[in-house]
Amino acid sequence: AAKKTQMAAASRAVPQINCDVKAGKIINPEFVVKCPAGCQDPKYHVYGTDVYASYSSVCGAAIHSGVLDNSGGKILVRKVAGQSGYKGSYANGVQSLSLPRWRESFVVSEGKPQKGVTYPSALTYSSTKSPAAKAGEPTKAYQKPPVPGTTAQPVTPLQLTGATATEVTLTSLPKPSPSTGSTTSSLRPQPVGHRSWELGQPDASCSCKSPKVLLLFPGFVPKEELSTQSLEPVSQGDPNCKVDLSFLIDGSSSIGKRRFRIQKQFLADVAQTLDIGPGGPLMGVVQYGDNPAAQFSLRTHMNSRDLKTAIDKITQRGGLSNAGRAISYVTKNFFSKANGNRGSAPNVAVVIVDGWPTDKVEEASRLARESGINIFFITVEGATENEKQYVTEPNFSNKAVCRTNGFYSLNVQSWFSLRKTVQPLLKRVCDTDRLACSKTCWNSADIGFVIDGSSSVGTGNFRTVLQFVANISKEFEISETDTRVGAVQYTYEQRLEFGFDDYHTKSDILNAIKRVGYWSGGTSTGAAINYALEQLFKKSKPNKRKLMILITDGRSYDDVRIPAMVAHHKGVTTYAIGVAWAAQDELEVIATHPASDHSFFVDEFDNLYKFVPKVIQNICTEFNSQPRN
C-alpha cells in the first residue's frame, strides 16, 4: 500500500526548473513545470510574443505572456513548429526580443493539466547536465548517438548536446564551413539590431587537447538551422480573417458515434480552409455533454496541420447536451489572455447543436454577448413540429445570437449536409466588420475631452477636473484598435493636448492627462467645440462611436448653438458637464438630445467624482440600446 501511495505521489509530481532554463533544452513535447520566483529579470532572455522561440527562458516567456507573475507558479508548455520570424514586445514587465527565425517554438498556458492527459514527472534534457533541475530530482539525459568514422550529418535540435571539437573554427561568412557541423555548443540566436560574439565552452567530459572556440559574427547561420530552411516557410495566418475562434461541439450521448465523427470532420474541414497562424485566425475547441471541457485553447496550435491532428484525437464525452453551460464556461474561461485571447481580434464562439439543447441558453448567451463574444448557432436536424413540445427553450438560437437577421444562425437539415456549411460559416466569421458583438461599450469609442482652462477654474480645481477625466478614461479598454482618447483645453483660444493617435495604452493616456498644464484665460466654448471637431473628431475612425465630453465652469463668451448643431450632424454625441457658475440652459443646448441623459450640473469641483458612474452608465446604456449591425 505504501508503495502504491509513493507511485501515485510520483505521478502527480511537477518538475521544478530554474529561471534560465530554455525550452529547447527540454526534449518533452508537452509538459507541466513549476517556475520559481524572480524570473522577471532581464538577464533571462525571451524571444517573440505569444509564440516564443525555443531559445527563450521558459519562465521568462510565461511572465511575458501573462500566465505567471514574478512570484512563479505552475505552467503548461507545449512545443510547436518553428516560425519564420519572432516579434519582440514589452508586456508584464518583460521586454522580449525580435528574431528573424528559429527552428522550434513553444507556447505557454496555465498549469492546469487536461483531464486524462499524463505529463512527465521528470523532464528529459538534451544534455547530460541539467543544472536547472531541482536538487535530487531524477532526470533523463538524452544520449547523443555515437557516429565514429562517419560523415557529419545535419544536427537536429535534439542532438545539441554540447559536442566539442579539437580545432578552432572561425566563421565570418553567412554560409558556415563544413567543419561547423561538429562545433555546435551554446548556439544563441541574435536579436534583430544586436551584435554579439559567443565563445563556445569546452565540455568538461572531453579529454581533447584544445577546447573548441566558436565565434559568431553578424550574419552567422548555424548549420543545423540551415538544415531546416528547405522546409516550407511557416505561415503567419490569413490577416484578412484575424479572429479568435472557439467551436463548442456537441458530445452528448444522443448524437451517436457516427454523427460525432461527421462533426469532427466538419471541424477538420474548417481547419483546412482557414489559414491558421498567429497573424490570422486562431482556433480552439470545447466539447460539451453534462459539463463542458476544453479540448485545446487558442494558443495550443499555431497552424492548420497541427490543428487537424488534434481534432482527429478528440473522443466523445457523452451525457446530456448542456449548451448553455458550455457558453457560460467559454465566457468565463476560454477567452482569457492566459488562453490566448489577443484582445485585438474579435471573439467568436460557434455552437453546434444536435437537435436542441437540454438546458437554457438565453441568459448565458446574453452575458457572452455583453463580454464581446460573437455567438453563432449551427442547429443540425432541428426539432420537427411533433418534437417541439420536448424543446426546453423554444426559439433558443434566436435568443442566443447577436442579431436575429439570419447572419448568426444556420439550420442544417441533415448531418450529411453539414460539410456544405463550411464556406458560408467562414465567410461570416471572417467578415469582422459585421461582427456586432465584438464592439462593446468599453472598446468601440473615440472619446474627446474638451476642458475649460479659464481663469475662474483655478489651478487646484483644474487638477480636480483632470482627475475626473482620468477616472472616466480608465474605465475603457484603450488601445489602437479599441477605445482611443484625446483632449483639448480652451480659454479664448484652444490647444490640442493630445490626439487619438498619440497614445495607445491606458497607462500612457493617464500619464498624458497628468501632464496637462493649466492655461488660464477667458471662456469661448463655441470655438472650442469647433476646434475639437476639426482637430480631434475629423481623425476619428468610421467604425468608432464619437463621444465628446465637455467640462466647463461658466457661461461661454461666444455662441454655442451652431457648433453644437454641427457636432450633432457629424455624428458626435456630446456630454456637457457644468460646474459652479456654468449656465444650465447652455449645457442643455450643447448636450445631445435628450439633454436629461447628456447634461450634468454639479455645484462644486470637489463633487465632480460623484458623476463618473452616472456618465459611464449613460454612455453604455445608450450604446446597448442602439443597433450595431
Side-chain angles (χ1 to χ4, degrees), residues 228-240:
T228 67
Q229 296 310 305
S230 59
L231 300 175
E232 291 184 17
V234 177
S235 172
Q236 294 298 301
D238 181 4
N240 296 316

Side-chain angles (χ1 to χ4, degrees), residues 440-463:
T440 68
C441 175
W442 314 111
N443 68 9
S444 60
D446 279 343
I447 304 177
F449 290 94
V450 181
I451 306 168
D452 184 347
S454 60
S455 303
S456 57
V457 175
T459 304
N461 289 334
F462 187 77
R463 305 317 298 178

Side-chain angles (χ1 to χ4, degrees), residues 268-346:
D269 292 344
V270 169
Q272 180 67 39
T273 305
L274 288 173
D275 182 9
I276 299 292
L282 295 179
M283 177 175 156
V285 173
V286 171
Q287 183 184 171
Y288 66 92
D290 290 336
N291 294 297
Q295 301 295 310
F296 44 84
S297 71
L298 293 168
R299 66 192 312 161
T300 308
H301 302 292
M302 291 292 160
N303 60 69
S304 297
R305 182 191 60 195
D306 290 349
L307 186 59
K308 287 179 65 180
T309 301
I311 290 168
D312 185 58
K313 295 178 180 178
I314 296 175
T315 57
Q316 188 176 357
R317 293 177 61 83
L320 298 174
S321 183
N322 290 332
R325 190 173 293 178
I327 294 169
S328 295
Y329 171 84
V330 166
T331 304
K332 295 175 183 177
N333 302 294
F334 190 87
F335 288 111
S336 66
K337 183 178 179 182
N339 286 327
N341 183 20
R342 291 171 287 185
S344 60

Side-chain angles (χ1 to χ4, degrees), residues 195-429:
R195 295 169 61 97
S196 73
W197 298 29
E198 292 281 343
L199 291 181
Q201 300 299 317
D203 192 326
S205 64
C206 181
S207 59
C208 309
K209 293 181 180 179
S210 58
K212 173 192 71 173
V213 178
L214 174 64
L215 300 181
L216 299 189
F217 291 86
F220 174 83
V221 182
K223 182 174 180 180
E224 73 278 7
E225 188 173 331
L226 284 177
S227 68
T228 67
Q229 296 310 305
S230 59
L231 300 175
E232 291 184 17
V234 177
S235 172
Q236 294 298 301
D238 181 4
N240 296 316
C241 185
K242 188 176 181 180
V243 295
D244 289 341
L245 177 60
S246 168
F247 274 87
L248 284 65
I249 63 172
D250 193 336
S252 60
S253 302
S254 62
I255 194 174
K257 293 182 178 179
R258 185 180 184 187
R259 287 180 288 185
F260 188 75
R261 285 197 300 269
I262 294 173
Q263 188 174 210
K264 284 172 54 175
Q265 184 57 54
F266 171 76
L267 293 184
D269 292 344
V270 169
Q272 180 67 39
T273 305
L274 288 173
D275 182 9
I276 299 292
L282 295 179
M283 177 175 156
V285 173
V286 171
Q287 183 184 171
Y288 66 92
D290 290 336
N291 294 297
Q295 301 295 310
F296 44 84
S297 71
L298 293 168
R299 66 192 312 161
T300 308
H301 302 292
M302 291 292 160
N303 60 69
S304 297
R305 182 191 60 195
D306 290 349
L307 186 59
K308 287 179 65 180
T309 301
I311 290 168
D312 185 58
K313 295 178 180 178
I314 296 175
T315 57
Q316 188 176 357
R317 293 177 61 83
L320 298 174
S321 183
N322 290 332
R325 190 173 293 178
I327 294 169
S328 295
Y329 171 84
V330 166
T331 304
K332 295 175 183 177
N333 302 294
F334 190 87
F335 288 111
S336 66
K337 183 178 179 182
N339 286 327
N341 183 20
R342 291 171 287 185
S344 60
N347 295 160
V348 177
V350 180
V351 186
I352 304 176
V353 179
D354 175 40
W356 57 89
T358 52
D359 64 349
K360 294 185 177 182
V361 301
E362 182 176 16
E363 179 64 13
S365 299
R366 181 185 67 80
L367 293 174
R369 295 195 305 269
E370 289 178 0
S371 298
I373 301 172
N374 297 274
I375 296 181
F376 287 77
F377 249 82
I378 301 178
T379 305
V380 188
E381 298 180 4
T384 63
E385 285 299 323
N386 293 333
E387 292 173 328
K388 286 183 178 179
Q389 58 182 314
Y390 305 114
V391 176
T392 306
E393 188 176 30
N395 299 317
F396 61 87
S397 62
N398 282 343
K399 294 176 180 178
V401 298
C402 290
R403 296 286 179 271
T404 57
N405 56 6
F407 182 79
Y408 292 94
S409 304
L410 294 96
N411 294 305
V412 183
Q413 297 300 316
S414 165
W415 279 97
F416 299 106
S417 304
L418 183 60
R419 297 183 71 171
K420 297 178 182 178
T421 65
V422 171
Q423 291 294 345
L425 172 68
L426 296 186
K427 185 176 180 181
R428 301 177 193 193
V429 166

